[in-house]
Amino acid sequence: MNGWRRASRHTRVGVGLMLALGAGSCSNPSPLGDQADRDLRRLVIDAAAREVAEAGREDKAVVLSRESGVEGLRLWPGILEELDKSSGPRSYEGAKADFGVNLLGTKAETVAISLEHAIKASVEHNIAVRFARIGPGIGEAQVVAAEAAFDWTFTANFSATRTDSPRVATSFSSNTQGVPSTTEQTGLTTSVGLRRNLVGGGRLTLQHGLDYTDDSTPFQTSRPNPANLLSFTVQYDQPLLRGLGSEVSLADVRVARNAERNSVQTLRRDLGQVVSDVERTYWQLTLAHKDLLILQRLLERGERVRDQLIAREGESTTAQLADARAKVERRKADIIRAQTQLRIVSDRLKQLINDPAVPVGSEIILAPTDRPVDEPVRFSLPDSVLAAVQFRPEVQQAVLAIDDSSIRAIVAENARLPDLSLRLQAKLSSLDDTTYDAYGQSIEGRFFDALFALVFEMPIGNRKAEGDYRRRVLERMQSVIAYRNTVQQVTQEVKSALDRLVLNYKLIEQTRTSRIAAAEVLRVLLIEKENAPNITPERLDLEFSRQEALAQAEREESQALAEYNSALTDLYAAMGTNLERNRINFVVPTADER
């Protein structure tokens, strides 16, 4: 995490936010890019720039450092080497842990696992990740469904009629009496067409109709008979105020695309969370494993003291023996607790990685092979905050929420306008006794109809539209506030992770110094014990307490190492770059590839 130069610090923050805002638009322009939303965009960008403004005044990278406390103990190099071999992380290399009896009543079995394997297995098999992986596919289907509103629609109608009904006869001759008559007709009506909604808000309709009529009415002559009425119609409907423009017609498509992008960010968030949880749990497992080894050694030291007292029973009092036995039994109880804690953490890691080879229900204990690192890192607070604003999925989702609220506000603003609709229609017709001749006449274009119509509608008061618009404007204000809150939250998480990183890096040296000092006290005490003629209750109690003090110092050193590595995990998680740190290539497959 190298520091960046001071030049154009705020420009880089702005560019980062522009990229984030542009992620919600792609091929379709985002409403945040419109002239009317410049102030909104400025507020969004300033929210991040404000967080790094103070830190940007000191544009330099910080390298973790700490003072050596061991030198202050003034120990000879040979003694220091001896103390490191008898206590601390190096002294437990190759030590075997006793994991006790499992829930099946048998000796616990172990499987070695590295951090890399644990992360890889979690990415492939974790249930939460597999669940979130379906989200982008659902979002992609929603986009397809929204875009389908602009697909061509094929229409077809067919109807057949047979009419045979009486009617009143009429005569204009004084010598002819009207007689009842009937209407006898056979008709077939067929129409096919195409219809499509246009991006501008209008609708285009193409329709072809054919009406066939055979009139057999008595005392009536029809020409032509049978009759074939052919028509070709082109109709265009276009809203001129309400519903006009692509910003309204494509609103559902853009919201669906934002939902798809949101699901992608959710997948990235869940995947990053799982990877971070695996890393933290892995270091907790190393800590639990080291605790068990430390407590086992503490028990061995206590048993040696107890056995020495028993061997010198004549020189030891009953109270001394009882006290030694009590301390040993208490240490055995601590080991049982440590064994249980180790199994709990192991099961938690098995649940996270969800490896079919090591299911959660198995009694196999995972044994970590990686050890916590103790190396300084270089970081820059402004760069870390900027990375969090650019890469954290929560920030990207907050930007998408602003985009969604802006789209809905534009639609609501358009809905305040009156409904003024235009209809243009052109119709070409032909009539003949055969279908072939009717098509021949249509080519001549003898019969042509045209229609021009305007329809106006406006609710009196227009209260619903005004209320909806105000609601959407307030929702947009909420989304901006939520974005600013998200930026502040991720900034706080970055700073908190950095504070823990600095703290635990210093604690590693402090706890190491404390452990070496405790080991030296116990070493000197044992040397004095060899030369002491008698074992007094005070010396016995002092030896037990010094053993426990050394064990506690060792546990604190192991905890500082584990928490330092966990703080590194938290830092990359806070910046949203933990996937890249673990060389995980985040590629979202299409619906067909899932």
Side-chain angles (χ1 to χ4, degrees):
M1 293 176 289
N2 294 328
W4 290 359
R5 298 186 181 274
R6 180 182 299 276
S8 65
R9 165 71 61 183
H10 297 291
T11 302
R12 281 187 275 105
V13 173
V15 171
L17 265 294
M18 290 291 186
L19 292 175
L21 295 173
S25 58
C26 290
S27 59
N28 293 295
S30 168
L32 289 178
D34 299 334
Q35 181 72 22
D37 283 326
R38 284 187 176 179
D39 292 340
L40 177 63
R41 178 185 288 267
R42 190 73 257 162
L43 287 173
V44 170
I45 296 174
D46 288 346
R50 183 168 50 252
E51 299 302 329
V52 298
E54 181 176 355
R57 295 171 189 156
E58 297 294 333
D59 187 14
K60 63 179 182 180
V62 177
V63 180
L64 290 180
S65 61
R66 61 196 181 195
E67 297 180 358
S68 176
V70 178
E71 296 178 357
L73 299 178
R74 298 181 180 179
L75 298 174
W76 290 350
I79 294 179
L80 183 61
E81 182 70 18
E82 178 184 349
L83 295 177
D84 277 335
K85 290 181 179 180
S86 63
S87 65
R90 288 176 50 192
S91 66
Y92 292 95
E93 294 178 358
K96 301 294 184 181
D98 180 12
F99 300 104
V101 179
N102 58 31
L103 298 179
L104 299 176
T106 60
K107 195 69 174 178
E109 298 180 3
T110 62
V111 170
I113 185 172
S114 65
L115 178 59
E116 182 179 1
H117 175 75
I119 293 176
K120 181 180 179 181
S122 66
V123 171
E124 295 178 355
H125 305 294
N126 182 268
I127 294 179
V129 173
R130 294 172 65 181
F131 179 86
R133 193 176 288 137
I134 303 175
I138 297 175
E140 184 180 350
Q142 291 175 336
V143 172
V144 173
E147 291 177 341
F150 301 96
D151 291 346
W152 283 102
T153 301
F154 175 77
T155 62
N157 294 289
F158 174 80
S159 62
T161 60
R162 175 74 169 85
T163 303
D164 187 4
S165 59
R167 66 174 181 172
V168 177
T170 303
S171 175
F172 296 96
S173 173
S174 59
N175 298 324
T176 305
Q177 183 178 1
V179 295
S181 62
T182 61
T183 299
E184 298 180 11
Q185 290 182 344
T186 300
L188 296 175
T189 302
T190 304
S191 67
V192 294
L194 293 173
R195 182 178 65 246
R196 182 183 184 184
N197 294 324
L198 304 178
V199 175
R203 183 171 65 178
L204 178 64
T205 304
L206 307 176
Q207 186 170 341
H208 168 49
L210 176 62
D211 294 337
Y212 170 82
T213 305
D214 186 358
D215 194 343
S216 303
T217 303
F219 310 109
Q220 179 174 311
T221 302
S222 301
R223 293 183 60 191
N225 191 25
N228 290 273
L229 178 61
L230 194 68
S231 64
F232 293 93
T233 305
V234 178
Q235 181 174 304
Y236 176 65
D237 296 286
Q238 175 65 51
L240 301 179
L241 294 176
R242 187 193 303 171
L244 175 65
S246 61
E247 290 181 339
V248 177
S249 63
L250 293 177
D252 290 340
V253 176
R254 291 172 178 169
V255 170
R257 285 177 177 166
N258 281 348
E260 181 186 13
R261 298 184 184 100
N262 188 77
S263 64
V264 171
Q265 295 300 324
T266 299
L267 173 58
R268 182 181 178 88
R269 181 199 65 193
D270 292 349
L271 181 59
Q273 182 65 46
V274 167
V275 170
S276 299
D277 289 344
V278 168
E279 288 192 72
R280 296 188 196 96
T281 307
Y282 190 89
W283 298 128
Q284 290 173 6
L285 185 63
T286 61
L287 179 60
H289 188 266
K290 186 58 66 65
D291 275 350
L292 181 56
L293 293 176
I294 292 173
L295 292 175
Q296 286 180 184
R297 179 177 291 178
L298 179 62
L299 175 62
E300 293 172 359
R301 286 170 172 166
E303 289 176 337
R304 282 199 296 268
V305 174
R306 180 201 62 188
D307 294 342
Q308 289 172 1
L309 288 175
I310 294 175
R312 302 170 64 177
E313 187 173 359
E315 302 176 11
S316 304
T317 65
T318 304
Q320 289 176 336
L321 287 173
D323 183 61
R325 290 190 177 100
K327 286 183 169 60
V328 169
E329 295 304 318
R330 187 175 67 248
R331 293 177 184 182
K332 289 181 179 179
D334 291 339
I335 289 179
I336 295 175
R337 295 189 185 96
Q339 290 171 341
T340 303
Q341 178 64 21
L342 178 63
R343 288 196 294 269
I344 292 174
V345 178
S346 175
D347 287 341
R348 190 185 310 150
L349 183 59
K350 286 191 290 186
Q351 180 185 7
L352 287 171
I353 64 178
N354 194 34
D355 194 335
V358 190
V360 180
S362 69
E363 281 298 288
I364 297 176
I365 295 178
L366 300 179
T369 59
D370 292 340
R371 297 292 175 258
V373 298
D374 178 16
E375 297 178 359
V377 296
R378 179 176 181 153
F379 67 88
S380 168
L381 175 59
D383 294 343
S384 301
V385 173
L386 178 60
V389 174
Q390 287 181 325
F391 300 116
R392 278 288 292 269
E394 294 85 347
V395 177
Q396 303 302 319
Q397 289 176 321
V399 172
L400 291 174
I402 296 176
D403 201 15
D404 284 344
S405 62
S406 298
I407 293 171
R408 295 188 178 100
I410 289 175
V411 174
E413 183 178 16
N414 180 266
R416 300 164 64 196
L417 300 174
D419 186 3
L420 178 62
S421 301
L422 167 69
R423 169 169 290 184
L424 301 176
Q425 186 184 90
K427 182 177 181 182
L428 185 65
S429 304
S430 61
L431 178 65
D432 211 318
D433 55 356
T434 66
T435 304
Y436 179 81
D437 293 337
Y439 275 105
Q441 286 190 18
S442 65
I443 298 176
E444 299 176 2
R446 293 176 56 191
F447 303 99
F448 179 79
D449 298 337
L451 172 67
F452 173 86
L454 287 174
V455 179
F456 180 83
E457 181 180 318
M458 177 68 180
I460 298 177
N462 205 22
R463 293 198 300 164
K464 182 180 184 305
E466 294 293 340
D468 289 342
Y469 174 67
R470 178 161 181 79
R471 175 167 64 94
R472 296 304 186 187
V473 170
L474 293 176
E475 288 176 353
R476 184 170 63 176
M477 293 174 60
Q478 282 185 327
S479 65
V480 174
I481 295 174
Y483 171 83
R484 296 177 61 181
N485 180 68
T486 302
V487 171
Q488 288 185 351
Q489 182 177 350
V490 300
T491 302
Q492 185 272 330
E493 291 177 4
V494 169
K495 294 186 64 179
S496 178
L498 287 173
D499 285 335
R500 292 196 302 273
L501 193 70
V502 174
L503 168 66
N504 287 287
Y505 185 72
K506 293 180 178 179
L507 283 179
I508 292 174
E509 180 64 21
Q510 292 299 120
T511 54
R512 179 171 180 264
T513 303
S514 175
R515 185 261 303 170
I516 291 176
E520 172 64 7
V521 171
L522 182 60
R523 186 188 71 85
V524 173
L525 189 63
L526 292 177
I527 293 175
E528 293 176 352
K529 177 182 176 181
E530 293 177 357
N531 301 323
N534 299 318
I535 302 177
T536 63
E538 293 77 9
R539 178 175 292 278
L540 177 66
D541 184 68
L542 180 61
E543 183 174 351
F544 272 114
S545 64
R546 290 302 92 196
Q547 291 175 355
E548 293 176 354
L550 175 57
Q552 182 62 28
E554 288 181 307
R555 297 177 74 179
E556 290 176 354
E557 183 180 8
S558 298
Q559 182 176 1
L561 278 167
E563 291 185 353
Y564 174 69
N565 285 264
S566 295
L568 271 174
T569 300
D570 293 340
L571 176 59
Y572 283 100
M575 292 190 301
T577 57
N578 54 342
L579 297 182
E580 291 76 8
R581 179 201 180 200
N582 289 284
R583 299 186 299 277
I584 298 174
N585 189 17
F586 184 76
V587 178
V588 180
T590 62
D592 297 334
E593 296 173 338
R594 291 184 178 89

